Amino acid sequence: MRTNYYFIILLFVIGFIIPPFTSVHSEQQPKMDIHFINVGQGDSMLIQTPSNKTILIDGGPPEAKKKVVAYLKKHKINKIDLLVATHPDIDHIGGLRHVLKSVEVDKVLDSGKLYSTKTYAKFMKEIGKQKIPLEIAKENELIKLDPRINIRVLNTHSAKKNNNQSSIVLKVSFKEMDFLFMADVERDQEMKLIKKYNLEADFLKIAHHGSNTSSSLAFLKEVNPKVAILTYSKSNDYGHPVNRVIKNLNKIKAQIYSTAVFGDLTINTNGESYFIHQEKSPVDGLLENAS
């Protein structure tokens, strides 16, 4: 009986000295989620950083404004730490005024390209009305938002550039994982970026919805992505994506995902590995076409 008593005391003491195994490993590892929101013919990406910061890149066309806000609320996002308007085309900023009215925004990053449209004017007016700090992106600028990731501006507006050429290009790096967001830049910008930067990335948001203006084979070889993401609508009038872009992606053996086929896409990563969630399967797309 006495032996059992001393054994119980010993276990009690050990329990204080050595913490339980589960407590040592219970702390969650930091992770990053990158969402490609299906806004039809346009762009809208949401990044949830390892330190719980939120970045919204573009807001799709005007008809997608409710979808974008609903998507943010679905993921319990009440504040955007950084809103990036890559360039002033309507399929990128059309939904952003509604975002500004619906969600708190700490700061807006703009390309600096002025555009004389009502959509752009209303977007800028809302920023001024709410007194949200507005910054113009600078090439090679390192954005300090989350100490666990690097966000670098690779392209933005300068003299004589059109809207697409003025697009903010971002490279986002988290540990071993790199993401390249190409907005709508053209092949001339791609060639200049090759000469200036290390473009290698695991994930590439294809420029200009797979248009013929972008995604040269030389550029794609330089990036060498594991995964390429295309953002477009099945019913678009521009022929996006063009066959040349798809052939080039096949040549570099990149996995191709599109919002047109898979709907909303989410990449979860811990900086070393990743998992891709898709709203729909390709079979769903075939059934939609059949109906």
Side-chain angles (χ1 to χ4, degrees):
M1 191 72 175
R2 179 170 303 217
T3 303
N4 290 341
Y5 174 80
Y6 284 120
F7 180 71
I8 292 170
I9 293 296
L10 181 62
L11 288 177
F12 185 78
V13 172
I14 290 173
F16 275 99
I17 298 174
I18 303 175
F21 177 82
T22 53
S23 67
V24 175
H25 298 277
S26 62
E27 185 178 351
Q28 288 187 346
Q29 293 299 310
K31 66 182 183 71
M32 184 164 71
D33 294 337
I34 301 91
H35 307 259
F36 295 84
I37 306 171
N38 180 20
V39 292
Q41 189 65 20
D43 272 12
S44 187
M45 286 79 66
L46 168 69
I47 302 175
Q48 294 173 283
T49 79
S51 297
N52 297 318
K53 299 292 184 179
T54 52
I55 305 167
L56 183 67
I57 305 174
D58 292 335
E63 57 267 28
K65 61 184 181 182
K66 292 182 180 179
K67 164 68 186 283
V68 175
V69 169
Y71 193 92
L72 295 174
K73 291 184 177 180
K74 176 184 174 183
H75 289 83
K76 299 180 180 178
I77 293 171
N78 299 311
K79 185 180 80 166
I80 299 295
D81 294 289
L82 179 64
L83 189 153
V84 180
T86 61
H87 64 294
D89 281 355
I90 195 169
D91 59 325
H92 290 254
I93 66 161
L96 289 182
R97 185 172 174 233
H98 188 61
V99 171
L100 292 173
K101 288 183 171 184
S102 306
V103 181
E104 180 184 352
V105 175
D106 268 5
K107 184 167 70 173
V108 175
L109 185 69
D110 189 75
S111 68
K113 175 66 176 176
L114 300 178
Y115 200 38
S116 57
T117 62
K118 289 183 180 179
T119 300
Y120 183 71
K122 288 178 180 179
F123 171 54
M124 285 295 165
K125 185 178 180 181
E126 189 64 33
I127 293 171
K129 181 181 177 181
Q130 295 192 31
K131 298 180 180 179
I132 300 171
L134 173 67
E135 292 187 9
I136 304 303
K138 298 181 181 68
E139 188 179 329
N140 202 30
E141 175 185 5
L142 192 63
I143 298 171
K144 297 179 181 179
L145 184 70
D146 183 333
R148 288 185 164 128
I149 64 174
N150 284 328
I151 309 171
R152 189 173 296 278
V153 177
L154 305 189
N155 186 77
T156 188
H157 173 60
S158 62
K160 297 182 180 179
K161 282 184 177 180
N162 64 30
N163 285 5
N164 290 340
Q165 295 164 351
S166 298
S167 294
I168 295 175
V169 171
L170 296 176
K171 186 173 184 180
V172 180
S173 302
F174 174 40
K175 295 183 181 179
E176 304 300 318
M177 292 286 162
D178 297 302
F179 297 79
L180 195 57
F181 298 90
M182 296 300 294
D184 278 5
V185 293
E186 299 175 0
R187 277 178 278 184
D188 283 348
Q189 283 70 55
E190 291 176 348
M191 293 302 101
K192 289 175 182 177
L193 293 178
I194 286 175
K195 296 175 182 177
K196 290 183 179 181
Y197 301 104
N198 173 13
L199 297 178
E200 190 171 354
D202 303 278
F203 301 88
L204 174 64
K205 202 292 290 185
I206 295 296
H208 204 187
H209 323 289
S211 165
N212 198 40
T213 61
S214 317
S215 305
S216 67
L217 183 58
F219 170 76
L220 293 177
K221 284 182 176 178
E222 196 72 22
V223 179
N224 192 29
K226 295 185 181 75
V227 176
I229 297 99
L230 287 152
T231 53
Y232 66 94
S233 168
K234 287 180 185 177
S235 58
N236 76 84
D237 298 323
Y238 309 100
H240 298 160
V242 299
N243 289 335
R244 180 187 60 80
V245 171
I246 300 302
K247 287 178 180 178
N248 284 349
L249 289 171
N250 287 332
K251 285 177 182 177
I252 64 166
K253 298 180 180 178
Q255 289 183 301
I256 302 173
Y257 286 82
S258 76
T259 52
V261 175
F262 295 101
D264 301 324
L265 293 164
T266 304
I267 300 168
N268 308 123
T269 179
N270 60 5
E272 296 170 359
S273 59
Y274 66 90
F275 185 82
I276 300 176
H277 297 270
Q278 55 201 50
E279 180 188 14
K280 298 183 290 187
S281 74
V283 175
D284 295 329
L286 289 173
L287 292 174
E288 286 175 6
N289 288 338
S291 61

